[in-house]
Every structure is written in C-alpha cells, then in structure tokens.
C-alpha cells in the first residue's frame, strides 16, 4: 500500500487526506487513481483490497484461539 494513512477519497492532503467537513462525494473532493493501493477508502471504510487481506487472515484461523474453522457454528 502506498501512503497507508491517507484516504483514497478525501480532502485535506497528507497525512490523512480526511476532513470531516468535506467528505467523499462532496464537490471538490478528489478520488485517487487506484483504490487498490489504499487501505482507507474515505477515512472511515476500508478499501476492497484491505478488506480482502483482513478476510483472508480471519479465514486462515491464524488469529483465533482456539483455532476454530469459519463454518464451525454453521453446522446443523
């Protein structure tokens, strides 16, 4: 990820590119060229790329104690 602290869609520039008065979707609020290179979409929500990494780590069971498969509680 390039500039991991900066929001892809935001206003204000470094370090966070976030301004609560000018949020993503407002006129004059620029969007980065490649959201897949950012962790934060709008200063609040993760990008699809960041969500994919988080989901893969959760589903790997490497971070659960005890190691419980994701579908453990889905059995009938």
């Amino acid at each position: 990820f390039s500039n991991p602290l900066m929001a892809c869609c935001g206003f204000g520039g470094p370090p966070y590119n976030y301004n609560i008065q000018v949020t993503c979707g407002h006129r004059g609020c620029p969007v980065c060229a490649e959201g897949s290179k950012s962790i934060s979409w709008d200063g609040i929500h993760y990008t699809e790329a960041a969500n994919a990494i988080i989901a893969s780590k959760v589903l790997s069971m490497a971070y659960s104690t005890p190691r419980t498969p994701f579908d453990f509680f889905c059995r009938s």
Side-chain angles (χ1 to χ4, degrees):
F1 294 110
S2 60
N3 300 320
L5 297 178
M6 286 187 61
C8 178
C9 180
F11 184 80
Y16 306 115
N17 197 36
Y18 180 77
N19 181 335
I20 198 162
Q21 304 297 327
V22 186
T23 56
C24 187
H26 278 90
R27 185 176 302 187
C29 185
V31 178
C32 65
E34 285 190 64
S36 63
K37 292 185 177 182
S38 298
I39 294 173
S40 176
W41 173 249
D42 58 3
I44 299 170
H45 303 96
Y46 289 132
T47 60
E48 185 176 349
N51 277 324
I53 292 170
I54 292 166
S56 71
K57 300 302 179 187
V58 169
L59 295 173
S60 75
M61 298 186 301
Y63 298 95
S64 50
T65 305
R67 289 182 179 251
T68 307
F70 182 72
D71 64 348
F72 180 79
F73 297 103
C74 298
R75 299 180 187 155
S76 310

